[in-house]
Amino acid sequence: MEEFKIGLCPYCGMGCRFYIKTLNGQPIGIEPYPGGVNEGKLCPKGVAAVDFLRHKDRLKKPLKRTENGFVEISWEQAIKEIAEKLLEIREKYGPDTLGFFSSARCSNEENYLLQKIARLLGTNNVDHCARLCHASTVVGLAQTVGAAAQSGSYTDIPKAKVLLIWGYNPSETHPVLMRYILRARDNGAKIIVVDPRKTRTVWFADMHLQLKPGTDIVLANAMMHVIIEERLYDREFIMNRTKGFEKLIAAVQKYTPEYAEEITGVPAKLIREAAITFATAGRGIVMWAMGLTQHVTGAANVKALADLALICGYVGREGTGLFPMRGQNNVQGACDMAALPNVFPGYQKVTDDEKRKHVAEIWGVEDLPSKPGLTIPEMIDAAAKGELKALYIMGENPVMSDPNTKHVIEALKNLELLVVQDIFLTETAELAHYVLPAAAYAEKEGSFTASERRVQWNFKAIEPPGEAKPDWEILTMLGKALGLPKFDYSDVEDITREITLVAPQYRGITPERLKREVMGVQWPCPSEDHPGTPRLHVERFATPDGKANIIPVEFKPPAEEPDEEYPFILTTFRIVGQYHTLTMSNRSESLKKRWSSPYAQISPEDAKKLGIQDGEMIRIVTRRGSYTCRAVVTEDVSEGVIAVPWHWGANILTNDVLDPEAKIPELKVAACRVEKIGGC
Amino acid sequence: MEKKLFINLGRCIACRACEVACEKEHGISFITVYEFRDIAVPLNCRHCEKAPCIEVCPTKAIYRDEDGAVVIDESKCIGCYMCSAVCPYAIPIVDPIKELAVKCDLCAERRKEGRDPLCAAVCPTDAIIYADLNELMEEKRRRKAERIVEAQRKAVETLAYFG
């Protein structure tokens, strides 16, 4: 029997709906569902979203590493042994030698449970891959406007008169969002793109500010310099709703467009024109992604963009806003659920005694750990040093996704216990002591939070293969085996209901409501009869005094700059037809054959100097490793810049130096050299 | 008026969702996106009003169906590829299994169920639209007119400001 079940796309953070077409319970295809934020539209990954579900590589039984490789074991044995080992390690070395990687690919309920387990075991060592994408945004926006989330909705985009798209390439990373962006352009909006590469988003831009990687602050400060000099700022908004403008005036004074041209490579005239266009539009939206955040100054970069929007009064009104664009289907939710080492669900600080006591009470314990835990890169370092003994990884693949691959592998091999819970045997799972087979998105229920804070229910369409189980079920079994209080969840809705008690923003977002309202609800939603909040900061900011903080920032160069030995700047990007570490997307034949192999973009000038022809094989070398791929000679990158899609393991090259505030690694800038191998 | 498959070149982001969708529907993709430096062209059968393939087909295997789509009747096709030879866009290709000429049929199966061709249904930016062309153009002209009004108002305001 053929059936259509409402699905929620498992790829990016856009939150697209589709129908999953099933025949006798097996997934056979995708059909447009007109009633979501995507209005029925899909990108190639969305169209191919059922392809990996029944792939032969799916994990179907729990696995245990033995001297003879992996052997299949029963769930009972797996959970019992893992629980015993975790407790044993905690007993022997203390709770802070345990670590947990949660996942922006899993539901709110699953993230909630994993961090709850960590905390009830006595450690705040829980983090997830937002550390590698929007940790800078979380820090930068918390300090400026008080809420680490997209301030407006997608529907604000067509109402804007200017879009400043910074370090972000929606044509490839959120193709469906381009629908809203092109609508803005139809309505007369100007589009300014800031990117070191001429991307497919630049095709639709009025201005392209092609800066040198890692010089974002200089450019933003120079734009603010022009806006202040020309008195184009929103005086009333600054006076009534912000603090700190005077300090900004002083700080950006030296950042003249001419000075900025020297450092960023963007012509002073263009900087001036962009600043004036942005400030005089009347309604503007600033959108950003990894090109801005993955830097040693990531948090400062975000603050600079927040300042830029604030001095123009572009927050809290229709057609305005701060839009950090989320790359995974539940990055926003994983952050909200506190798969982060310093907060409890709903961004309640672990150091806040009152809030901690409140959460402890709901969880049925006296108190919870109050010391902020370690972030992902810190846990990797601690594992390498032997200070972290056990790591539990749910739905992440750090061997491929984290910078400096060799270091990550060494660290993971050093652990006494590595548990990986995933849908495929990833490069990370291959190193595990125990591998637990999880259900994929279409095989389970739960809620996911899209980029615009939209919480949507993920309906189940098919059964998981073999003995694979939803992550929340696995975590419930583990919680019980660990003897943790109140782990008697019988269905996923029990967990959704508990979230409404713990996270204030989710108070009115009940499972019943989510199942009824397919479009979902945008948080904050304080009660069940509240309609949700399409726009933040309308009357006051989420700061203690309700005012936004304008925080001036100074430029600091990237940690690695080109030198004689490594004369090029290496930067990374992503492409539309593949997704992150390839685990899902490369198991679709339709995607794999179209986006088949790694390459590197190199400018015609540099290619000529090195005698490299288009299509020839090259080796890229950094201080951390080397990587072989095909050269694409293109004017889309400037002289001195080498750009690689990171999906095929390019993180062997990237730098694991951290932003001191956000602890995000500088994935977007490294020094490299290029060697010609030849052949095709 | 019947619906046409319209390609709006200024909106294609080269994401190739149409190709993947077409492949899912038909086993092979009858649409191809060609990417150039700052523009992309999704190309498939244009279902021409004066279709040379219909004219040239010696067995009358190619005909126009009730929705205006130019389709090939597989049972009559002899695989001579004269349609490919005369097609101004070089569209009909060889089906690797049947070894007969195949091309876009505007998703005949879907149209029977009242659904749009899949490439148009999924295209995220409306670079491919299945719609009444005259209505589409009317809408586009209206939007252009609105922009003119906006510019005119701005000009009047500016003049008023300068006295």
Side-chain angles (χ1 to χ4, degrees):
Chain A
M1 191 181 63
E2 199 175 276
E3 282 182 279
F4 283 48
K5 306 248 174 89
I6 298 176
L8 184 62
C9 186
Y11 283 107
C12 82
M14 181 78 195
C16 298
R17 287 282 191 197
F18 47 56
Y19 280 118
I20 297 172
K21 217 166 24 172
T22 63
L23 182 66
N24 303 327
Q26 294 303 316
I28 55 166
I30 293 292
E31 181 62 33
Y33 170 84
V37 292
N38 53 317
E39 300 169 334
K41 302 301 179 174
L42 293 168
C43 78
K45 296 190 293 293
V47 174
V50 299
D51 292 13
F52 64 89
L53 292 171
R54 288 296 180 255
H55 195 278
K56 61 172 174 45
D57 296 349
R58 278 294 298 275
L59 291 167
K60 297 181 191 81
K61 289 271 283 181
L63 304 175
K64 179 183 180 173
R65 169 180 303 284
T66 66
E67 280 168 7
N68 307 317
F70 284 120
V71 292
E72 293 182 352
I73 55 171
S74 71
W75 272 110
E76 292 67 33
Q77 189 191 347
I79 295 293
K80 183 168 167 279
E81 288 186 18
I82 292 166
E84 277 171 8
K85 293 215 166 121
L86 283 170
L87 292 173
E88 199 183 294
I89 288 169
R90 182 178 71 160
E91 184 67 26
K92 201 164 156 194
Y93 308 107
D96 286 332
T97 59
L98 307 177
F100 296 82
F101 287 5
S102 198
S103 176
R105 323 284 306 128
C106 290
S107 69
N108 287 327
E109 291 74 10
E110 289 154 351
N111 278 284
Y112 176 84
L113 280 196
L114 190 69
Q115 60 86 34
K116 184 175 174 181
I117 287 174
R119 279 151 177 158
L120 289 175
L121 282 172
T123 182
N124 281 317
N125 288 345
V126 58
D127 202 7
H128 75 287
C129 51
R131 186 63 51 200
L132 309 170
C133 66
H134 274 297
S136 320
T137 301
V138 173
V139 172
L141 289 188
Q143 290 180 17
T144 49
V145 297
Q150 188 180 314
S151 73
S153 300
Y154 305 143
T155 48
D156 276 308
I157 297 170
K159 293 170 185 154
K161 285 292 163 198
V162 65
L163 302 177
L164 180 58
I165 301 176
W166 200 301
Y168 174 42
N169 180 18
S171 281
E172 301 219 45
T173 55
H174 298 94
V176 177
L177 195 77
M178 278 307 280
R179 180 173 187 76
Y180 290 89
I181 291 175
L182 291 182
R183 248 179 227 165
R185 199 183 60 151
D186 292 343
N187 295 337
K190 290 272 185 280
I191 297 176
I192 306 169
V193 175
V194 179
D195 203 302
R197 298 189 309 125
K198 188 183 170 197
T199 63
R200 289 182 200 158
T201 304
V202 175
W203 294 1
F204 306 94
D206 296 276
M207 285 173 226
H208 176 205
L209 280 55
Q210 194 167 8
L211 82 177
K212 209 169 104 185
T215 61
D216 306 75
I217 288 176
V218 182
L219 185 60
N221 279 353
M223 284 176 71
M224 289 191 276
H225 174 100
V226 173
I227 292 166
I228 290 168
E229 189 183 55
E230 305 270 337
R231 299 191 187 284
L232 300 174
Y233 46 84
D234 186 337
R235 197 163 156 266
E236 206 180 327
F237 186 91
I238 292 170
M239 271 174 54
N240 297 335
R241 304 210 45 195
T242 72
K243 289 187 308 194
F245 183 54
E246 302 73 26
K247 278 181 280 173
L248 181 77
I249 299 177
V252 301
Q253 201 168 14
K254 70 169 190 241
Y255 291 88
T256 62
E258 288 69 25
Y259 168 72
E261 176 173 340
E262 273 173 46
I263 296 174
T264 63
V266 182
K269 189 165 167 280
L270 191 57
I271 299 175
R272 205 166 255 123
E273 201 186 326
I276 293 169
T277 304
F278 181 71
T280 57
R283 290 199 301 275
I285 289 177
V286 188
M287 319 175 94
W288 68 90
M290 309 306 80
L292 184 82
T293 59
Q294 291 176 332
H295 291 279
V296 76
T297 57
N301 288 0
V302 171
K303 287 181 227 176
L305 286 203
D307 292 345
L308 188 52
L310 286 169
I311 64 167
C312 295
Y314 290 167
V315 187
R317 280 188 292 128
E318 185 179 80
T320 70
L322 295 161
F323 283 51
M325 295 309 304
R326 304 296 199 161
Q328 291 175 297
N329 56 342
N330 205 28
V331 200
Q332 185 62 54
C335 289
D336 300 343
M337 293 305 113
L340 296 171
N342 60 335
V343 287
F344 293 124
Y347 304 98
Q348 310 181 79
K349 288 203 168 74
V350 295
T351 49
D352 185 324
D353 292 342
E354 200 183 309
K355 289 188 171 147
R356 196 176 61 249
K357 286 275 156 57
H358 173 69
V359 176
E361 200 180 306
I362 297 170
W363 290 354
V365 289
E366 279 284 302
D367 201 355
L368 291 163
S370 61
K371 188 180 89 173
L374 300 176
T375 59
I376 285 179
E378 289 168 333
M379 281 189 254
I380 295 286
D381 282 347
K385 286 189 206 130
E387 291 162 8
L388 193 87
K389 304 290 184 188
L391 189 55
Y392 194 105
I393 300 179
M394 171 173 80
E396 289 213 352
N397 187 9
V399 167
M400 297 293 279
S401 63
D402 292 23
N404 197 357
T405 308
K406 277 187 197 158
H407 176 62
V408 176
I409 293 174
E410 276 162 24
L412 296 181
K413 283 189 171 163
N414 208 20
L415 290 161
E416 286 186 19
L417 175 67
L418 175 61
V419 182
V420 174
Q421 184 172 314
D422 214 311
I423 60 173
F424 289 106
L425 193 70
T426 61
E427 293 80 356
T428 305
E430 279 172 18
L431 304 175
H433 300 99
Y434 293 91
V435 180
L436 302 178
Y441 74 104
E443 300 154 359
K444 63 182 181 185
E445 303 238 332
S447 63
F448 286 77
T449 307
S451 196
E452 56 171 5
R453 295 172 280 104
R454 186 179 296 281
V455 188
Q456 301 183 101
W457 194 254
N458 173 56
F459 298 94
K460 181 176 170 175
I462 53 170
E463 290 300 324
E467 291 180 24
K469 285 179 191 296
D471 294 282
W472 69 266
E473 268 188 54
I474 303 171
L475 295 176
T476 301
M477 292 193 296
L478 182 69
K480 277 185 199 158
L482 288 164
L484 303 176
K486 293 195 178 180
F487 260 76
D488 44 5
Y489 309 105
S490 55
D491 50 37
V492 73
E493 291 89 341
D494 291 345
I495 310 164
T496 322
R497 272 181 222 108
E498 187 173 311
I499 292 168
T500 67
L501 300 177
V502 181
Q505 297 88 335
Y506 283 67
R507 191 131 301 157
I509 309 181
T510 60
E512 292 76 19
R513 185 171 176 186
L514 289 176
K515 286 183 192 180
R516 204 170 51 233
E517 300 173 23
V518 176
M519 275 294 273
V521 186
Q522 286 175 284
W523 69 253
C525 177
S527 64
E528 204 168 352
D529 52 8
H530 187 281
T533 310
R535 198 170 295 133
L536 299 177
H537 317 307
V538 176
E539 267 147 31
R540 64 193 308 278
F541 285 94
T543 51
D545 63 2
K547 291 201 171 188
N549 298 308
I550 293 174
I551 305 172
V553 291
E554 289 289 345
F555 170 62
K556 210 177 87 185
E560 259 187 15
E561 293 206 273
D563 55 23
E564 266 182 36
E565 203 181 343
Y566 299 98
F568 293 99
I569 301 175
L570 175 82
T571 194
T572 62
F573 63 97
R574 56 195 76 207
I575 60 173
V576 64
Q578 289 287 4
Y579 189 77
H580 293 182
T581 71
L582 307 177
T583 313
M584 288 156 49
S585 56
N586 214 38
R587 287 188 170 92
S588 158
E589 287 306 316
S590 301
L591 299 178
K592 191 179 172 179
K593 75 173 179 221
R594 289 182 171 78
W595 294 274
S596 59
S597 61
Y599 61 93
Q601 294 181 320
I602 180 167
S603 72
E605 297 85 356
D606 291 330
K608 199 173 161 197
K609 252 183 271 169
L610 298 169
I612 294 166
Q613 305 289 320
D614 188 59
E616 253 182 322
M617 294 307 283
I618 56 170
R619 188 181 298 113
I620 303 171
V621 186
T622 69
R623 289 181 175 85
R624 292 154 295 280
S626 78
Y627 180 74
T628 303
C629 64
R630 169 170 56 90
V632 171
V633 180
T634 170
E635 285 167 32
D636 292 349
V637 289
S638 308
E639 201 174 338
V641 175
I642 305 291
V644 290
W646 67 270
H647 311 286
W648 285 274
N651 277 326
I652 188 128
L653 301 170
T654 51
N655 196 350
D656 51 354
V657 60
L658 301 183
D659 173 321
E661 277 184 279
K663 314 281 184 189
I664 193 169
E666 187 155 67
L667 289 153
K668 283 288 176 273
V669 190
C672 75
R673 69 165 179 265
V674 176
E675 296 163 1
K676 177 183 158 127
I677 301 176
C680 284
Chain B
M1 200 199 141
E2 65 205 14
K3 285 181 170 180
K4 300 278 172 210
L5 195 81
F6 180 69
I7 297 181
N8 191 340
L9 295 175
R11 292 182 97 83
C12 178
I13 56 172
C15 77
R16 303 167 84 181
C18 52
E19 284 185 20
V20 175
C22 189
E23 186 169 301
K24 296 284 169 206
E25 189 69 19
H26 305 286
I28 36 174
S29 182
F30 299 135
I31 186 162
T32 313
V33 178
Y34 294 94
E35 189 186 341
F36 299 89
R37 268 219 72 201
D38 46 11
I39 194 164
V41 183
L43 202 63
N44 68 339
C45 174
R46 305 311 310 140
H47 301 273
C48 307
E49 298 294 341
K50 296 177 184 171
C53 56
I54 295 182
E55 300 297 319
V56 80
C57 181
T59 58
K60 306 251 181 292
I62 306 183
Y63 66 100
R64 191 178 302 279
D65 74 9
E66 61 273 30
D67 290 334
V70 174
V71 293
I72 305 179
D73 180 344
E74 195 189 297
S75 66
K76 289 189 187 160
C77 176
I78 55 170
C80 71
Y81 304 104
M82 282 313 285
C83 51
S84 311
V86 297
C87 176
Y89 294 103
I91 294 297
I93 52 169
V94 186
D95 183 305
I97 299 160
K98 296 172 189 154
E99 296 201 337
L100 294 172
V102 282
K103 63 166 205 68
C104 163
D105 63 355
L106 282 182
C107 289
E109 292 300 316
R110 296 177 61 84
R111 283 187 286 123
K112 263 187 232 159
E113 293 161 14
R115 290 182 282 162
D116 284 354
L118 199 56
C119 57
V122 300
C123 176
T125 56
D126 293 341
I128 305 172
I129 306 180
Y130 186 60
D132 181 317
L133 192 64
N134 286 353
E135 275 174 26
L136 205 67
M137 292 296 111
E138 167 61 18
E139 204 182 293
K140 212 171 162 181
R141 279 197 300 275
R142 169 167 291 280
R143 262 209 312 273
K144 297 280 175 202
E146 279 167 7
R147 290 282 298 284
I148 295 169
V149 170
E150 206 173 296
Q152 171 68 11
R153 287 206 179 118
K154 225 178 205 166
V156 173
E157 272 168 34
T158 315
L159 283 175
Y161 179 79
F162 288 112

